[in-house]
Amino acid sequence: MTRIYVGPTALYNLGQVGELSLLDAFDGDVVIPDPVVDAVPVEPTTTNLEDYLDGGDVTAAVDDDRVEQARSLLGAKDLGAAETVLAGVLANRDQSDRSAVAVVSEDRTVRRMAQGLGAEVTSSFGVVVRAAIEDKYLSPTQAKRIVRRIDQHGLHLTGELRERAVGEIGD
């Protein structure tokens, strides 16, 4: 079973626009470790995240036995709660099955490290694209609006990347 670890940057982006439920488009267990939840104390993300956690089937467990290993791999970089995401990757990776663990994050260090450890990696925009493809109730027009709202709330895309995200939704 795939475990999808969500980092603080993705929670912030999806939570700011009230679209955390799009994480349910993944085929697997969504994991949002408690330290990641604590790392985004910004409204409206906090309220939207509380609602999502109350209504969803989300795991909050931290793979404590791997946190120290994640810290050591990061070296001098202090990523705070994101290290619990990498600890999850370390605990659940499977060299024979790259889809065993996935990470949703905008943080480049987390993305590179997770990918190097064998995880699939995506971003908030990837979540929207996946939801548009998998969910017959989310139209391409709605998905494009969500991409634009996320873009307006702080995660700024270059014109080229925005067109690519919007184009993937429309395909």
Side-chain angles (χ1 to χ4, degrees), residues 102-114:
V103 171
V104 181
S105 179
E106 269 67 51
D107 185 292
R108 279 193 267 167
T109 301
V110 171
R111 290 170 61 89
R112 277 194 307 265
M113 183 70 68

Side-chain angles (χ1 to χ4, degrees), residues 20-94:
L20 289 164
S21 64
L22 295 179
L23 292 167
D24 296 336
F26 286 103
D27 185 24
D29 295 330
V30 175
V31 182
I32 304 173
D34 287 331
V36 172
V37 171
D38 296 339
V40 287
V42 178
E43 289 296 347
T45 297
T46 302
T47 299
N48 289 332
L49 183 54
E50 286 173 7
D51 291 346
Y52 178 67
L53 293 174
D54 287 344
D57 186 23
V58 179
T59 305
V62 175
D63 295 289
D64 289 322
D65 56 328
R66 298 296 185 134
V67 171
E68 193 56 44
Q69 184 182 3
R71 278 189 197 124
S72 116
L73 289 173
L74 291 167
K77 293 188 185 258
D78 179 15
L79 295 176
E83 70 190 13
T84 60
V85 170
L86 293 175
V89 170
L90 289 165
N92 296 285
R93 68 188 181 144
D94 181 349

